Amino acid sequence: MGKHGYEGIGVAFQGGGSLGAYHIGAYRAMSEGGYEPDIVSGISIGAFTAAIIAGNAPGDRLKNLFGFWDSIAWPDVSAFSKTGIQLKRFHNTLSSIQGFLFGQPNFFSPRLPVPQFFPAGSIEATSYYDTEELASTLKKFVNFDRINSNKTRLLLGSVRVKDSVLRYFDNQHAKDNNYRIGPEHVMASGAMPPGFPGIRVDGDLYWDGGCISNTPLEGIYKAVTDKDMLVFMIDLFNPIGKEPEDMNEVMSRYKDIQYASRTYDNIKHINKRHNLACALKKTLQSSGSLDKDTYAELRSQLRDKVFDIVHIVYDAPPFEVPTRDCEFSKSSIRERAEHGYNDMVKALRESPWLKERVKGTNSLFSGFRGGKAYK
């Protein structure tokens, strides 16, 4: 148990394409503040972040996070990356167009000709980009032997195409069931159609977990029941925003709403579910009126540990464009990482979860949007 007083620290990394650079800075601040995670979960680009963290010793994580992002980014396409808002928007628009046309180095490349010219049933017919190169890139920055030794628990959210089931690839299960987590599991979590092809795991085809839910908080809640937990939920899409006034703002707000994945509802649901499970356990312990079968059925739902949630949200600056999740310029990656660091530093400076924690097991919630606390 660290100075924070919790038995375990978890992090849930939301999906969001190139916005995932925000995760680098957020993790850096956590690490400097003494909040190294015991369990990490991720969906889409969040799965890449989670795999790099779980697949490296604490002292190597930042180096490999920065290395991964640097390897998949194009150099800046213009001299406008350090100028005013309008020119930075122009720079970011050009950068995203570059990615659409030419892909990203060491990550994905466009299919030529387009999928409609390939025979049905071929992998080429099902996506606009080829991600084959990504497997080698992941192996360069992720030690999969470390992941499969379960030194840091890893959960990767992906949806099974045939039945829409959200599955978490779990290195704890890999250890128990004698299979290994590999690059294919990470890639499956980030296989967003129609851009990227589905990935086969154990014979089944999987797509990006963000097709169902873009924030993998539920995975950690189900996975850890025997520790007092503090879980950081690091989101890349802001569910709160102003009414749009032009088409750029319409598309930007639409994307925020689409991929925020009903964040607040999910947090409230887990808060209430946890607190009810704790109250139910206390009630059952003092009650002798239940028969053995009923008690056994309820017992699996009971909780007597802390599950506190800290929600950190990237509040996109005004120069971000609607295609910001597909904009991988080196300057934008640096800026998003700085935003993540500054926002997490502000949250850790306040640390309301330490000030408000009282004796008991009820789940507490602390929210920060753009580094500012919200209720």
Side-chain angles (χ1 to χ4, degrees):
M1 186 179 295
K3 66 179 183 179
H4 42 68
Y6 292 86
E7 295 175 298
I9 300 296
V11 193
F13 294 106
Q14 189 183 66
S18 53
L19 299 181
Y22 183 84
H23 293 149
I24 306 172
Y27 166 73
R28 176 189 163 201
M30 287 180 58
S31 179
E32 292 177 357
Y35 288 89
E36 283 290 350
D38 308 285
I39 178 171
V40 287
S41 67
I43 280 177
S44 197
I45 199 68
F48 298 178
T49 306
I52 293 170
I53 289 175
N56 285 281
D60 296 326
R61 289 169 175 171
L62 277 174
K63 175 186 68 176
N64 282 292
L65 280 169
F66 279 112
F68 171 78
W69 280 91
D70 188 63
S71 75
I72 64 172
W74 292 112
D76 289 300
V77 297
S78 71
F80 304 134
S81 60
K82 297 182 180 179
T83 52
I85 289 177
Q86 292 302 325
L87 288 177
K88 289 188 76 169
R89 283 180 180 169
F90 179 65
H91 164 272
N92 291 357
T93 299
L94 287 179
S95 176
S96 58
I97 290 173
Q98 180 184 42
F100 291 140
L101 293 177
F102 304 109
Q104 294 298 138
N106 305 306
F107 189 174
F108 62 90
S109 56
R111 295 197 187 281
L112 296 174
V114 293
Q116 289 79 0
F117 286 89
F118 287 96
S122 66
I123 190 172
E124 293 85 0
T126 61
S127 69
Y128 286 97
Y129 296 95
D130 182 349
T131 59
E132 186 175 349
E133 198 171 2
L134 179 57
S136 298
T137 305
L138 288 169
K139 290 177 183 178
K140 183 176 179 180
F141 296 103
V142 178
N143 182 341
F144 286 96
D145 287 336
R146 188 181 196 278
I147 286 177
N148 289 294
S149 68
N150 198 25
K151 292 182 179 179
T152 301
R153 192 164 181 184
L154 174 65
L155 307 172
L156 304 170
S158 187
V159 60
R160 194 163 56 201
V161 175
K162 68 180 182 182
D163 56 10
S164 307
V165 169
L166 179 64
R167 176 181 176 184
Y168 283 97
F169 301 118
D170 184 345
N171 62 344
Q172 178 67 61
H173 295 163
K175 183 178 178 181
D176 294 342
N177 298 325
N178 197 30
Y179 77 90
R180 290 176 58 82
I181 297 290
E184 67 274 16
H185 297 86
V186 185
M187 293 170 66
S189 184
M192 178 61 78
F196 296 164
I199 302 295
R200 289 204 177 273
V201 177
D202 302 329
D204 290 323
L205 190 69
Y206 285 88
W207 280 344
D208 192 307
C211 293
I212 289 183
S213 175
N214 201 32
T215 301
L217 179 65
E218 178 83 7
I220 295 179
Y221 184 72
K222 289 181 177 179
V224 184
T225 60
D226 59 346
K227 294 180 180 179
D228 287 337
M229 292 292 297
L230 177 66
V231 179
F232 292 85
M233 180 177 172
I234 305 176
D235 283 2
L236 305 175
F237 292 98
N238 192 349
I240 304 300
K242 69 181 185 70
E243 294 181 359
E245 297 180 353
D246 58 31
M247 192 53 66
N248 261 1
E249 292 182 359
V250 167
M251 297 308 297
S252 184
R253 188 73 201 117
Y254 167 70
K255 190 166 285 186
D256 276 337
I257 292 171
Q258 181 181 20
Y259 290 114
S261 289
R262 301 178 67 214
T263 291
Y264 297 149
D265 287 343
N266 290 338
I267 293 172
K268 289 177 183 178
H269 169 72
I270 288 180
N271 275 150
K272 290 180 179 179
R273 182 171 153 194
H274 179 85
N275 295 341
L276 178 62
C278 293
L280 181 60
K281 179 161 187 176
K282 292 177 182 177
T283 301
L284 292 179
Q285 285 174 334
S286 61
S287 173
S289 59
L290 292 176
D291 62 80
K292 183 183 294 186
D293 291 340
T294 302
Y295 181 81
E297 185 175 346
L298 290 174
R299 191 171 183 275
S300 63
Q301 304 299 320
L302 304 184
R303 295 264 179 164
D304 61 1
K305 293 290 185 177
V306 168
F307 193 87
D308 290 349
I309 301 168
V310 182
H311 187 211
I312 308 292
V313 186
Y314 177 49
D315 191 13
F319 53 78
E320 291 277 33
V321 294
T323 52
R324 58 191 179 277
D325 54 328
C326 305
E327 195 271 296
F328 287 84
S329 66
K330 291 183 184 293
S331 59
S332 292
I333 287 170
R334 287 193 302 271
E335 288 170 345
R336 291 168 191 146
E338 288 172 8
H339 272 281
Y341 180 77
N342 293 333
D343 288 354
M344 184 63 79
V345 164
K346 291 174 183 176
L348 295 177
R349 188 178 296 138
E350 294 190 30
S351 295
W353 52 91
L354 298 181
K355 299 171 185 176
E356 297 176 13
R357 166 53 56 200
V358 294
K359 188 176 181 179
T361 55
N362 285 358
S363 177
L364 297 178
F365 165 67
S366 306
F368 294 86
R369 186 183 306 114
K372 297 179 181 179
Y374 76 85
K375 294 293 185 182

